[in-house]
Amino acid sequence: MAEQLSNEFLSEVANEFGTPVYVYHAEKIKEQYHKLLDAFKHSNTRFFYACKALTNINVLKYIKEIGCNIDCSSINEVMLALHAGFAKENILYTSNNISFSEIETAQQLGVNINIDSISNLEKFGKKFGHTYPVGIRLRPNIMAGGNLKISTGHRDSKFGIPLEQIDEVLRVVKKTNLRITDLHIHTGSEIKDVEVFAKGIEVLFDIAQYFPELEIIDLGGGFKVAYKPGDEVTDIELLGKKVKEEFDFFEKKFGRRLQVWFEPGKFLVSEAGCLITKVNVLKAAPTTTFAGVDTGLNHFIRPMFYGSYHVIDNISNPDGEKKKYNVVGNICETDTFAEHRTLSEIREGDLLVFRNAGAYGFEMASNYNSRFKPAEVLVKDGKAHLIRRRDVLDDLLKNQIEIV
Ligand code: PLP
């Protein structure tokens, strides 16, 4: 098991590279990947890292090095995956309301493609007919995921082709002689209940018979990790067993052995990453004490955007007396990371660590308030490597054209 990085080690990283800084632990990513391999070893399963969670090129290269495939949500992510050295057959591009020209580029690059609209499916069929295998992203009308913002498979979701339009899909497939090899769904993020995946399998098996060239059932991502001690997580061992049972049954019944694909994002990189920030100021207000830190929603928006909970550790004073704080950012917005949180006594200058920040942390960062994006560090084989330097003023001006 990958040992958690010690407080002393994280403090040294902060001292060497400054704050705020994202720190990723390579061996933890590998450990998570191996958990998946282990849980699904008896089924015909492939994993594609949903790289929207974190695309630092070193992380992508590492993911490739450990043998995992990659799932992309934009053509630029596909380009980054190729740059990282992934073979085209190990790259999946799952589209979502994109232009047909991006799909054409993906086809030229030779990667796997899931199409999520009837209009793009028809264009693809007209242009490529039976020559290029393609997947269909469906909306299974399943309500799942941690909250509505991260729930993508329900009746009002923009994602995928609604299941009730399957007749129209079949008409397009037949008319344009499409070669459908993959049916895809992604019902949401932070799915605790294995039955949600079972329901997804059931929905896709129900229509699989209409696609004689089908090879793959892609169930998307969404495995839940623990955000705080005692949190319920997806039981991947149970899911592994269920997948084996269901797909063995399908093979017996229809004489076809289908492959299963998953697209885990958070599961691979969430716990491997943390954000270290320094306390700028303490403000004792009548209702609470604010600990104002040197980061904000521009660097880590998940708590404000999704209401996500992140454990915060004061690594400068871990044994200090327990007190309550509101941990807030330095952005000119209400960017509250934690409210009335009991933490070890905070002093100005202390280092706080936000846990579970590897996924959708840096990736969603911006330069709002003209603040610099933070640095990123990858810890591998016990050594800390700077993998992205902190912005400098030139980065803020880089693409601007001064005409005044
Ligand atoms: N696949 C697709 C199509 C997604 O949209 C997402 C997340 O938004 C994922 C996979 C990864 O989800 P998670 O990070 O919850 O595993």
PDB file of all heavy atoms in Angstrom, residues 3 9 70 108 202 218 225 235 273 275 281 340 364 375 379:
ATOM      1  N   GLU A   3       2.214   4.527   1.078  1.00  0.00           N
ATOM      2  CA  GLU A   3       2.148   5.221   2.370  1.00  0.00           C
ATOM      3  C   GLU A   3       1.728   6.675   2.170  1.00  0.00           C
ATOM      4  O   GLU A   3       2.180   7.313   1.208  1.00  0.00           O
ATOM      5  CB  GLU A   3       3.528   5.215   3.003  1.00  0.00           C
ATOM      6  CG  GLU A   3       3.562   4.513   4.335  1.00  0.00           C
ATOM      7  CD  GLU A   3       4.972   4.379   4.832  1.00  0.00           C
ATOM      8  OE1 GLU A   3       5.505   5.393   5.303  1.00  0.00           O
ATOM      9  OE2 GLU A   3       5.535   3.269   4.695  1.00  0.00           O
ATOM     10  N   PHE A   9       7.117  15.778   5.150  1.00  0.00           N
ATOM     11  CA  PHE A   9       7.435  15.774   3.711  1.00  0.00           C
ATOM     12  C   PHE A   9       6.643  16.873   2.993  1.00  0.00           C
ATOM     13  O   PHE A   9       7.191  17.640   2.199  1.00  0.00           O
ATOM     14  CB  PHE A   9       7.109  14.385   3.127  1.00  0.00           C
ATOM     15  CG  PHE A   9       7.546  14.223   1.700  1.00  0.00           C
ATOM     16  CD1 PHE A   9       8.806  13.743   1.389  1.00  0.00           C
ATOM     17  CD2 PHE A   9       6.689  14.563   0.657  1.00  0.00           C
ATOM     18  CE1 PHE A   9       9.221  13.602   0.070  1.00  0.00           C
ATOM     19  CE2 PHE A   9       7.094  14.434  -0.667  1.00  0.00           C
ATOM     20  CZ  PHE A   9       8.361  13.952  -0.952  1.00  0.00           C
ATOM     21  N   ILE A  70      -6.911   5.645 -21.806  1.00  0.00           N
ATOM     22  CA  ILE A  70      -7.313   7.020 -21.478  1.00  0.00           C
ATOM     23  C   ILE A  70      -8.619   7.417 -22.170  1.00  0.00           C
ATOM     24  O   ILE A  70      -8.842   7.070 -23.333  1.00  0.00           O
ATOM     25  CB  ILE A  70      -6.160   7.997 -21.818  1.00  0.00           C
ATOM     26  CG1 ILE A  70      -6.445   9.409 -21.301  1.00  0.00           C
ATOM     27  CG2 ILE A  70      -5.866   8.042 -23.312  1.00  0.00           C
ATOM     28  CD1 ILE A  70      -5.193  10.260 -21.186  1.00  0.00           C
ATOM     29  N   GLN A 108      -9.749  10.943 -38.013  1.00  0.00           N
ATOM     30  CA  GLN A 108      -8.459  10.982 -38.729  1.00  0.00           C
ATOM     31  C   GLN A 108      -7.317  10.507 -37.832  1.00  0.00           C
ATOM     32  O   GLN A 108      -6.375   9.878 -38.291  1.00  0.00           O
ATOM     33  CB  GLN A 108      -8.145  12.414 -39.191  1.00  0.00           C
ATOM     34  CG  GLN A 108      -8.851  12.806 -40.482  1.00  0.00           C
ATOM     35  CD  GLN A 108      -9.011  14.326 -40.580  1.00  0.00           C
ATOM     36  OE1 GLN A 108      -8.290  15.089 -39.931  1.00  0.00           O
ATOM     37  NE2 GLN A 108      -9.970  14.755 -41.381  1.00  0.00           N
ATOM     38  N   GLU A 202     -28.337  -3.695 -17.447  1.00  0.00           N
ATOM     39  CA  GLU A 202     -29.644  -4.234 -17.853  1.00  0.00           C
ATOM     40  C   GLU A 202     -30.210  -3.432 -19.033  1.00  0.00           C
ATOM     41  O   GLU A 202     -30.664  -3.999 -20.034  1.00  0.00           O
ATOM     42  CB  GLU A 202     -30.584  -4.147 -16.640  1.00  0.00           C
ATOM     43  CG  GLU A 202     -31.927  -4.815 -16.820  1.00  0.00           C
ATOM     44  CD  GLU A 202     -32.838  -4.466 -15.638  1.00  0.00           C
ATOM     45  OE1 GLU A 202     -32.377  -4.505 -14.476  1.00  0.00           O
ATOM     46  OE2 GLU A 202     -34.021  -4.127 -15.898  1.00  0.00           O
ATOM     47  N   ASP A 218     -19.782   0.129 -22.519  1.00  0.00           N
ATOM     48  CA  ASP A 218     -18.972   1.093 -21.780  1.00  0.00           C
ATOM     49  C   ASP A 218     -19.860   1.723 -20.704  1.00  0.00           C
ATOM     50  O   ASP A 218     -20.849   2.392 -21.027  1.00  0.00           O
ATOM     51  CB  ASP A 218     -18.442   2.148 -22.769  1.00  0.00           C
ATOM     52  CG  ASP A 218     -17.589   3.209 -22.106  1.00  0.00           C
ATOM     53  OD1 ASP A 218     -17.628   3.328 -20.879  1.00  0.00           O
ATOM     54  OD2 ASP A 218     -16.892   3.930 -22.843  1.00  0.00           O
ATOM     55  N   VAL A 225     -15.127   7.623  -4.020  1.00  0.00           N
ATOM     56  CA  VAL A 225     -14.042   7.430  -3.049  1.00  0.00           C
ATOM     57  C   VAL A 225     -14.458   8.078  -1.731  1.00  0.00           C
ATOM     58  O   VAL A 225     -15.451   8.804  -1.677  1.00  0.00           O
ATOM     59  CB  VAL A 225     -12.712   8.045  -3.561  1.00  0.00           C
ATOM     60  CG1 VAL A 225     -12.212   7.327  -4.786  1.00  0.00           C
ATOM     61  CG2 VAL A 225     -12.863   9.545  -3.834  1.00  0.00           C
ATOM     62  N   ASP A 235     -18.415  -0.295  -3.837  1.00  0.00           N
ATOM     63  CA  ASP A 235     -17.834  -1.606  -3.528  1.00  0.00           C
ATOM     64  C   ASP A 235     -17.366  -2.222  -4.853  1.00  0.00           C
ATOM     65  O   ASP A 235     -18.120  -2.925  -5.535  1.00  0.00           O
ATOM     66  CB  ASP A 235     -18.901  -2.468  -2.832  1.00  0.00           C
ATOM     67  CG  ASP A 235     -18.348  -3.789  -2.355  1.00  0.00           C
ATOM     68  OD1 ASP A 235     -17.270  -4.194  -2.839  1.00  0.00           O
ATOM     69  OD2 ASP A 235     -18.994  -4.417  -1.498  1.00  0.00           O
ATOM     70  N   GLY A 273      -4.042  13.247  -4.603  1.00  0.00           N
ATOM     71  CA  GLY A 273      -3.660  14.661  -4.666  1.00  0.00           C
ATOM     72  C   GLY A 273      -4.130  15.461  -3.473  1.00  0.00           C
ATOM     73  O   GLY A 273      -5.170  15.175  -2.869  1.00  0.00           O
ATOM     74  N   LEU A 275      -3.954  19.809  -1.893  1.00  0.00           N
ATOM     75  CA  LEU A 275      -3.573  21.201  -2.145  1.00  0.00           C
ATOM     76  C   LEU A 275      -3.049  21.771  -0.830  1.00  0.00           C
ATOM     77  O   LEU A 275      -3.750  21.732   0.184  1.00  0.00           O
ATOM     78  CB  LEU A 275      -4.798  21.989  -2.634  1.00  0.00           C
ATOM     79  CG  LEU A 275      -4.621  23.503  -2.787  1.00  0.00           C
ATOM     80  CD1 LEU A 275      -3.569  23.854  -3.843  1.00  0.00           C
ATOM     81  CD2 LEU A 275      -5.959  24.171  -3.164  1.00  0.00           C
ATOM     82  N   VAL A 281      -4.212  35.307   7.022  1.00  0.00           N
ATOM     83  CA  VAL A 281      -4.710  36.107   8.153  1.00  0.00           C
ATOM     84  C   VAL A 281      -5.729  35.333   8.977  1.00  0.00           C
ATOM     85  O   VAL A 281      -6.424  34.461   8.457  1.00  0.00           O
ATOM     86  CB  VAL A 281      -5.408  37.422   7.673  1.00  0.00           C
ATOM     87  CG1 VAL A 281      -4.415  38.425   7.137  1.00  0.00           C
ATOM     88  CG2 VAL A 281      -6.494  37.141   6.669  1.00  0.00           C
ATOM     89  N   HIS A 340     -17.376  26.371  10.224  1.00  0.00           N
ATOM     90  CA  HIS A 340     -17.416  25.845  11.593  1.00  0.00           C
ATOM     91  C   HIS A 340     -16.714  24.496  11.682  1.00  0.00           C
ATOM     92  O   HIS A 340     -17.235  23.541  12.273  1.00  0.00           O
ATOM     93  CB  HIS A 340     -18.871  25.731  12.087  1.00  0.00           C
ATOM     94  CG  HIS A 340     -19.631  27.011  11.948  1.00  0.00           C
ATOM     95  ND1 HIS A 340     -19.236  28.178  12.559  1.00  0.00           N
ATOM     96  CD2 HIS A 340     -20.736  27.320  11.225  1.00  0.00           C
ATOM     97  CE1 HIS A 340     -20.067  29.155  12.240  1.00  0.00           C
ATOM     98  NE2 HIS A 340     -20.981  28.667  11.417  1.00  0.00           N
ATOM     99  N   MET A 364      -9.660  22.534 -12.871  1.00  0.00           N
ATOM    100  CA  MET A 364     -10.707  23.560 -12.967  1.00  0.00           C
ATOM    101  C   MET A 364     -10.180  24.931 -12.541  1.00  0.00           C
ATOM    102  O   MET A 364     -10.964  25.870 -12.384  1.00  0.00           O
ATOM    103  CB  MET A 364     -11.901  23.180 -12.084  1.00  0.00           C
ATOM    104  CG  MET A 364     -12.725  22.032 -12.626  1.00  0.00           C
ATOM    105  SD  MET A 364     -14.201  21.796 -11.616  1.00  0.00           S
ATOM    106  CE  MET A 364     -15.187  20.765 -12.682  1.00  0.00           C
ATOM    107  N   ALA A 375       1.439  26.055  -8.480  1.00  0.00           N
ATOM    108  CA  ALA A 375       2.407  25.077  -8.998  1.00  0.00           C
ATOM    109  C   ALA A 375       1.845  23.669  -8.774  1.00  0.00           C
ATOM    110  O   ALA A 375       0.926  23.477  -7.984  1.00  0.00           O
ATOM    111  CB  ALA A 375       3.723  25.241  -8.257  1.00  0.00           C
ATOM    112  N   VAL A 379       5.107  13.514  -6.684  1.00  0.00           N
ATOM    113  CA  VAL A 379       6.017  12.743  -5.836  1.00  0.00           C
ATOM    114  C   VAL A 379       6.074  11.319  -6.386  1.00  0.00           C
ATOM    115  O   VAL A 379       5.051  10.646  -6.509  1.00  0.00           O
ATOM    116  CB  VAL A 379       5.529  12.726  -4.369  1.00  0.00           C
ATOM    117  CG1 VAL A 379       6.477  11.914  -3.496  1.00  0.00           C
ATOM    118  CG2 VAL A 379       5.383  14.144  -3.841  1.00  0.00           C
TER     119      VAL A 379
END
